[in-house]
Amino acid sequence: MVVEEEAKLESKSKPMVNENLRFGERALSAGGAAFISAVIVNPLDVVKTRLQAQAAGVPYQGSCRLGCFEPNSTVAHDLRGSSSPGVCRITGSATVCSDHQYKGTLDVFIKIIRQEGFSRLWRGTNASLALAVPTVGIYMPFYDYFRNVMEDFTAEKSPSLRPYVPLVAGTIARSLACISIYPVELARTRMQAFKGTQRGVKLPGVWKTLVDAVNPVKGSSSNGQNYRMLWTGLGAQLARDVPFSAICWSILEPTRRSILSFVGEEPRAGSIIGANFTAGFVAGAVAGAATCPLDVAKTRRQIEKDRDRAMKMTTRQTLAEIWRDGGMRGMFSGAGARVGRAGPSVAIVVSFYEVVKYGLHHFHQQ
C-alpha cells in the first residue's frame, strides 16, 4: 500500500505527462528552444570568451595584440622583447598596453561596443546557432529517452538508484551531443576569442575559421594530422560538459518536480514554464560556477594556434598551466559572465522545450 502511494506521488510530481511524442517532434522543440537561447545569451558568451582568452595571453589583432596576462606566463615569455608593430611591450613585470585590457564583465561590454561596434556582441551567433540547434536537438530528446528507460528499469529492479537517473541520463546524452557537433564548437570559440581591427570589416565565418584551423598557412596541403585539429580540446569539452550536465540535471529534475508537486494541480502551460524556468536558472547557475575552471581550460585549448602544442596538451596540463599563470583568479576567468549566461540559457531551453512538448501532447489528444 505504501509503495503504491509513493508511486502515485512520484507520478504526480513528474514535470510532464509521459507523452509518446516522436523523436522528430522532441528534436524540433529542443531546436526552437536552442535558437532562442543562443540569440539571447550570445553577448555573455562573447564576453566570457574574451576574458578567458585575455587571461591566456591571446595575441589580438589590432593596436594591442596582447591581452592582460601574467608576465611570467608562457605566452608572455614567447613575445617578450617583440618589436613587431602593434604588439604590447613587456617591460620587467608589467605590460604596457592601451586601454584594450579588460577589467571585468561590464568593462568588456563597454569596450566591445565602443571599439568594435554593438553588433560584435553577436559575433559567432551563426556558429552558436549551427552548434546549439543540432546539439540541443540531440541532447534533450536523448535525455528524455534515457531518463524514461532508466526510471522504468530502476522502478522495477532497484528503486534506491532512481535518484541518480537524471545524473546518468544527462551524462550520456550530453556526451553524444558534444562528440557529434564538436568542430562547430571549435569554430565558435575561435570566432569569439579574437577581436576585429576595424568596424564594418567582415570577419571569417564558420567555414573559413575551420579551414584556417586545418590549414593555418595558405597554400599548405591538408593531411590526417591537420584534420585532427578540428577535434582539438574535445577532451576538455567533455571534461566540462559532462560534469556540467550531471550537476545540472541532478538539481533541475528534483527541483522542478518539487515545484509542480507543491502547486498541487494538473500541470498547465503556466506552471510548466514557471517550474522549469526557476529550476533551470538555479541548476544552470550552480553548474556553470562549479565547472568554470574546466571551461577556461577548454577555451585555452581551442584557441591555441601552435599545432604541435595543441596536439600534445591535455586538460590536466592546461589546468596546471592556468593555475601557475593566474592562480585562482585565472581558474575562474569570466566566471561572472559564464554564470550569467548558463542560468538563463538552461532556463530558456528547458522551459521552452517542455511547454512546446506540452502543446504538442495536447494537440495530439485533440
Side-chain angles (χ1 to χ4, degrees):
M1 185 69 179
V2 175
V3 175
E4 290 179 358
E5 289 297 320
E6 289 179 351
K8 289 179 181 178
L9 181 61
E10 185 69 25
S11 176
K12 182 179 179 180
S13 63
K14 282 191 176 183
M16 280 289 296
V17 179
N18 191 16
E19 72 292 284
N20 294 315
L21 296 179
R22 293 187 292 272
F23 184 89
E25 292 174 320
R26 294 173 187 267
L28 181 64
S29 303
F35 182 92
I36 295 172
S37 175
V39 172
I40 292 174
V41 304
N42 195 79
L44 282 166
D45 211 25
V46 172
V47 170
K48 178 210 70 166
T49 304
R50 288 287 180 90
L51 287 169
Q52 293 176 352
Q54 174 177 266
V58 166
Y60 287 127
Q61 303 167 2
S63 61
C64 181
R65 294 190 60 187
L66 292 182
C68 179
F69 54 86
E70 293 296 320
N72 293 324
S73 67
T74 303
V75 179
H77 177 76
D78 292 343
L79 293 169
R80 190 179 299 277
S82 171
S83 59
S84 301
V87 178
C88 297
R89 299 190 314 278
I90 303 175
T91 57
S93 61
T95 57
V96 182
C97 293
S98 63
D99 66 342
H100 287 255
Q101 291 183 353
Y102 300 129
K103 299 179 179 66
T105 301
L106 183 60
D107 189 53
V108 180
F109 274 113
I110 294 171
K111 286 180 177 174
I112 288 177
I113 294 171
R114 189 177 67 208
Q115 297 168 3
E116 305 174 55
F118 186 75
S119 63
R120 286 293 164 85
L121 288 172
W122 277 266
R123 170 73 174 148
T125 301
N126 54 346
S128 294
L129 293 174
L131 172 72
V133 173
T135 299
V136 179
I138 294 170
Y139 177 39
M140 298 296 290
F142 271 111
Y143 170 76
D144 276 354
Y145 173 77
F146 289 127
R147 182 198 62 196
N148 292 340
V149 170
M150 291 179 186
E151 283 189 339
D152 291 343
F153 177 81
T154 54
E156 295 179 6
K157 304 293 184 181
S158 183
S160 61
L161 296 177
R162 196 168 189 183
Y164 303 102
V165 166
L167 185 152
V168 178
T171 296
I172 297 173
R174 190 67 187 180
S175 298
L176 288 173
C178 283
I179 294 170
S180 302
I181 317 293
Y182 182 76
V184 183
E185 164 67 22
L186 177 69
R188 182 188 67 157
T189 301
R190 290 195 170 210
M191 290 169 70
Q192 292 176 341
F194 302 103
K195 82 187 285 293
T197 56
Q198 299 174 355
R199 292 172 181 254
V201 175
K202 186 176 181 181
L203 297 176
V206 178
W207 179 252
K208 181 64 165 57
T209 302
L210 291 175
V211 170
D212 288 344
V214 175
N215 296 313
V217 180
K218 286 188 177 181
S220 61
S221 58
S222 302
N223 54 45
Q225 186 77 4
N226 287 7
Y227 284 109
R228 284 182 60 194
M229 286 294 294
L230 295 177
W231 304 94
T232 301
L234 175 60
Q237 175 86 4
L238 291 172
R240 182 201 70 171
D241 280 9
V242 169
F244 178 91
S245 186
I247 294 169
C248 183
W249 286 111
S250 296
I251 297 172
L252 194 154
E253 197 70 65
T255 302
R256 67 178 177 183
R257 292 185 180 191
S258 297
I259 293 173
L260 287 171
S261 178
F262 178 77
V263 172
E265 60 181 22
E266 186 68 23
R268 299 182 182 277
S271 59
I272 288 172
I273 292 175
N276 282 282
F277 192 92
T278 302
F281 193 98
V282 172
V286 172
T291 58
C292 188
L294 295 168
D295 186 57
V296 175
K298 182 226 40 149
T299 299
R300 184 167 292 200
R301 290 191 64 186
Q302 288 179 329
I303 63 178
E304 176 60 56
K305 289 198 168 184
D306 184 320
R307 185 179 302 278
D308 294 334
R309 178 175 162 79
M311 300 307 298
K312 293 177 182 178
M313 288 172 71
T314 65
T315 302
R316 183 176 178 179
Q317 291 171 340
T318 306
L319 287 170
E321 181 181 288
I322 294 167
W323 178 262
R324 184 190 69 230
D325 293 344
M328 187 63 70
R329 184 174 181 177
M331 297 287 277
F332 284 88
S333 298
R338 174 165 169 75
V339 172
R341 174 197 180 282
S345 179
V346 174
I348 292 168
V349 167
V350 175
S351 57
F352 185 91
Y353 176 66
E354 291 294 344
V355 79
V356 172
K357 280 169 51 183
Y358 174 84
L360 289 171
H361 174 67
H362 282 270
F363 175 78
H364 287 312
Q365 281 188 327
Q366 294 173 359

